[in-house]
Amino acid sequence: MSFDHRKYAPFKPIGKTDRRWPDKVIEKAPMWCAVDLRDGNQALVKPMNVQQKQRMFDLLVKLGFKEIEIGFPSASQPDFDFCRKLIDENRIPDDVKIQVLTQARPELIARTYEALKGAKQAVVHVYNSTSTVQREQVFGLDRAGIRDIAVNGARVVKEFAGKYPETEWTFQYSPESFTGTELDFAAEVVDAVTEVWRPDLGQPVIINLPATVEMATPNVFADQIEWICDNIQRREYLSISVHTHNDRGCGVAAAELAVMAGADRVEGTLMGNGERTGNMDLVTMAMNLYSQGVDPKLDLACMAEITEVVEACTEIATHPRHPYAGELVFTAFSGSHQDAIRKCLSRRQSDDTWNVAYLPIDPFDVGRRYEEVVRINSQSGKGGVAYVLERDYDISLPRWLQIEFSKVVQREAETNGGEIDSLTIHRLFESRYLNVPAGWTLSSYDLRRDDSGVKAEISVGSRENAMPLVGQGLGAVEAVSDALERQFDLSIAVEAYDEFALGEGTKANAMACIRVTVNDQHCSAAALAEDTTSATLQALLSAVAQVVGERHGTRQEDPVALGA
């Protein structure tokens, strides 16, 4: 078995020196045509049943698609029956055109019109392959033979349309495998078809240029589209459509560049389902426009419903990192990403233009929650952990405690593996910082200020068996530290402490966080209370309790017993 690149020839680019499309900007959405029920359906291992097709069709209508390709009724009885069901049951809104595909063969075209009888408006999409490899190796025809197939098909399409005058007909022609067709020949065939249909005399005509196989980089496809737009006849009367595939992974990029190059219309499928590597993803391209402030003319706010319906109808799971729609697409595990997101969101006002690091759009616009943006694992940092506590529990941590607590969370994540959920993070914070050691509850305090500073009288422990402590200092924290130093023969230095008023709806009104050095040992604690002073003093007691308890063999040692 060999892996030899020499068997492949590079795609020959177009010698085009007058390209204009690189300077263009997409300022409005193209006309969209969803081909999930035809091109998408034929790519499925298990094609959709009638119920699934109806569900998909209804979703496409709900999202705002005005042109929907529903099948290949001349080649498939289920497609024929579904077409008839939509028409006979009046399930097609008046502003929606259904589109059906047919080969350029008289008997298939006749069957196509039979399927469409009674439709208010419809697109008949006829095609034949024009590429060099198809001409030479599949059909064994020269250029004239291929052109004749297209022209004869166009004549039959026009002839049968006259038999059904009650329907508003649009004709569509695709030179299949356009990307592998010589441009001059593609233009020759297109001109021959439009000579039959005469869009200049009022017949609506779409010329669809498919990248049936993606053969080159998107810029080459854009060159091809711009060349065709510049060189075909009757361009001003035509709607130029593109139908890109994803063989090289660039289906969306190719479609976007094609619109810059002059295309008016884009065919694709939701989530990019299609043969081989897939069709152009309509969701991604439309949301790309949306993220640039361009109205996509589709309503994709119900992204969860879109993924649910597509998965149910195609039986294909959505990749968790699929653009805009995947479960994890707005999720940041990286610590630096989380920190940047948290800071941007905290600064943003509701009427500001969206400008948040790492988030190209506001997740709320597609029905997602900020809870899904920042999630915690072993790769996460202080910003993410702090954001979860702020978001879910209204707990704001000072920077020094963010750094310290993030290490606690990281150790937990590394030990257990995988993601750490919000409840676990809160449990870790309570266990490490908020839990008051037995017997160390602040029962009461009295602070009196005089010329020498603050005198603190506090009671520690249960009210029935509380320990009274008295100390003096320049402030309340220093005074209580003095009392603890006297009682337990300690040396206490306060490194940092922060007080926060909590929002409405919380059980406590204030939280305090403190970091102290006790006998050269660093320890931190936090406390919730009805007021900031109570919270600060309780945090100090809880921090000192860690050292006092360890000195006597346990963190839970009762200070009353120790001080007796």
Side-chain angles (χ1 to χ4, degrees):
M1 185 174 181
S2 66
F3 185 74
D4 188 354
H5 66 281
R6 291 172 296 182
K7 72 167 67 173
Y8 302 103
F11 191 89
K12 186 178 180 180
I14 299 167
K16 198 173 193 303
T17 59
D18 61 344
R19 57 181 61 87
R20 303 177 304 281
W21 63 262
D23 295 325
K24 299 293 181 61
V25 176
I26 302 176
E27 297 179 337
K28 66 176 183 178
M31 172 60 72
W32 306 107
C33 178
V35 298
D36 300 75
L37 292 164
R38 198 277 302 171
D39 210 0
N41 188 50
Q42 76 180 33
L44 298 176
V45 174
K46 182 181 177 183
M48 298 181 216
N49 58 35
V50 173
Q51 291 75 24
Q52 290 170 319
K53 286 183 177 181
Q54 187 65 64
R55 189 179 183 190
M56 179 66 79
F57 180 82
D58 291 342
L59 174 66
L60 294 170
V61 170
K62 177 181 177 180
L63 298 182
F65 286 95
K66 302 306 179 185
E67 295 184 4
I68 302 172
E69 189 168 76
I70 60 169
F72 199 150
S74 63
S76 165
Q77 188 63 43
D79 281 8
F80 185 97
D81 294 341
F82 181 64
C83 183
R84 291 309 318 160
K85 172 183 172 66
L86 292 177
I87 296 170
D88 293 339
E89 296 180 6
N90 197 29
R91 291 178 175 268
I92 306 167
D94 290 343
D95 62 345
V96 172
K97 290 182 183 179
I98 55 171
Q99 175 175 304
V100 296
L101 185 71
T102 180
Q103 290 178 326
R105 291 164 51 188
E107 70 277 13
L108 298 182
I109 294 171
R111 179 70 167 164
T112 298
Y113 277 94
E114 184 182 343
L116 290 170
K117 183 178 180 180
K120 294 177 182 177
Q121 53 180 341
V123 181
V124 178
H125 181 187
V126 63
Y127 76 97
N128 69 304
S129 189
T130 58
S131 69
T132 308
V133 67
Q134 294 264 29
R135 289 200 314 266
E136 295 177 352
Q137 300 190 40
V138 178
F139 299 110
L141 293 173
D142 58 12
R143 286 189 174 194
I146 294 296
R147 184 182 62 248
D148 287 346
I149 293 174
V151 170
N152 290 334
R155 287 173 177 157
V156 176
V157 165
K158 183 177 180 179
E159 175 188 341
F160 271 91
K163 298 179 180 180
Y164 301 92
E166 71 279 9
T167 300
E168 181 183 320
W169 298 108
T170 297
F171 301 154
Q172 176 169 324
Y173 173 70
S174 288
E176 191 198 9
S177 302
F178 164 75
T179 47
T181 302
E182 305 91 334
L183 284 176
D184 64 325
F185 180 54
E188 178 185 332
V189 175
V190 167
D191 288 344
V193 168
T194 61
E195 176 64 27
V196 174
W197 286 342
R198 298 305 299 269
D200 51 319
L201 299 181
Q203 171 60 53
V205 173
I206 300 167
I207 297 299
N208 187 56
L209 304 173
T212 309
V213 177
E214 187 177 31
M215 304 176 73
T217 50
N219 63 298
V220 174
F221 186 63
D223 280 350
Q224 292 174 313
I225 299 303
E226 190 171 77
W227 191 97
I228 286 290
C229 288
D230 287 345
N231 288 277
I232 58 174
Q233 299 173 13
R234 309 176 185 89
R235 168 64 184 98
E236 65 270 31
Y237 304 104
L238 299 171
S239 176
I240 298 297
S241 176
V242 293
H243 179 118
T244 59
H245 279 255
N246 210 37
D247 301 271
R248 293 169 53 91
C250 301
V252 170
E256 290 179 329
L257 267 58
V259 171
M260 293 163 60
D264 309 300
R265 181 179 184 269
V266 172
E267 295 189 347
T269 62
L270 301 178
M271 308 304 178
N273 169 52
E275 282 190 311
R276 304 179 311 279
T277 52
N279 281 23
M280 202 288 299
D281 180 3
L282 291 165
V283 170
T284 298
M285 184 170 174
M287 288 304 302
N288 284 353
L289 295 180
Y290 181 81
S291 73
Q292 300 300 303
V294 176
D295 182 359
K297 302 299 184 182
L298 298 173
D299 185 356
L300 303 177
C302 55
M303 197 63 75
E305 179 184 358
I306 294 171
T307 56
E308 177 189 357
V309 172
V310 171
E311 289 178 352
C313 293
T314 65
E315 300 184 25
I316 298 174
T318 302
H319 193 285
R321 294 290 184 184
H322 190 105
Y324 303 105
E327 178 188 359
L328 299 178
V329 71
F330 298 113
T331 299
F333 288 110
S334 163
S336 61
H337 290 199
Q338 293 173 342
D339 188 55
I341 291 171
R342 183 179 69 89
K343 289 175 179 175
C344 290
L345 290 175
S346 68
R347 293 169 60 105
R348 185 175 184 276
Q349 300 299 313
S350 60
D351 57 349
D352 288 347
T353 299
W354 185 258
N355 187 25
V356 175
Y358 300 111
L359 294 178
I361 68 163
D362 185 345
F364 273 115
D365 292 351
V366 290
R368 301 290 291 274
R369 301 174 300 152
Y370 288 132
E371 285 83 342
E372 300 162 333
V373 172
V374 174
R375 291 163 61 172
I376 307 302
N377 64 13
S378 61
Q379 303 298 308
S380 305
K382 66 182 188 305
V385 173
Y387 178 75
V388 170
L389 289 177
E390 290 173 5
R391 179 192 68 200
D392 297 342
Y393 304 102
D394 198 27
I395 295 175
S396 298
L397 301 184
R399 179 177 173 80
W400 62 266
L401 190 52
Q402 291 177 24
I403 296 171
E404 183 177 311
F405 181 50
S406 68
K407 295 176 181 178
V408 175
V409 175
Q410 186 174 35
R411 283 195 296 271
E412 178 77 8
E414 290 173 346
T415 299
N416 296 326
E419 185 177 351
I420 302 295
D421 62 25
S422 173
L423 288 174
T424 301
I425 291 171
H426 189 248
R427 175 182 58 78
L428 289 170
F429 184 72
E430 282 190 326
S431 175
R432 178 66 180 80
Y433 298 102
L434 286 178
N435 283 351
V436 178
W440 285 86
T441 301
L442 177 69
S443 297
S444 66
Y445 69 90
D446 181 47
L447 304 174
R448 293 192 297 275
R449 184 176 294 277
D450 56 28
D451 292 341
S452 60
V454 174
K455 181 180 180 180
E457 296 181 2
I458 67 171
S459 296
V460 182
S462 63
R463 294 188 180 276
E464 297 78 15
N465 191 27
M467 172 187 291
L469 298 174
V470 179
Q472 187 82 24
L474 295 177
V477 172
E478 186 175 320
V480 173
S481 295
D482 177 64
L484 292 168
E485 287 176 332
R486 294 171 186 272
Q487 184 69 33
F488 298 108
D489 189 23
L490 302 171
S491 173
I492 302 174
V494 177
E495 298 179 17
Y497 77 91
D498 295 87
E499 301 169 339
F500 306 93
L502 300 181
E504 297 181 1
T506 57
K507 294 180 180 179
N509 297 321
M511 188 182 80
C513 307
I514 196 164
R515 179 174 173 82
V516 297
T517 300
V518 182
N519 292 353
D520 299 324
Q521 182 174 340
H522 299 290
C523 47
S524 304
L528 298 170
E530 293 182 354
D531 60 85
T532 55
T533 302
S534 297
T536 300
L537 298 183
Q538 181 60 71
L540 175 62
L541 291 173
S542 297
V544 171
Q546 298 172 32
V547 176
V548 173
E550 289 175 2
R551 193 170 67 176
H552 291 80
T554 174
R555 286 185 60 186
Q556 303 300 319
E557 192 69 57
D558 191 325
V560 177
L562 291 174

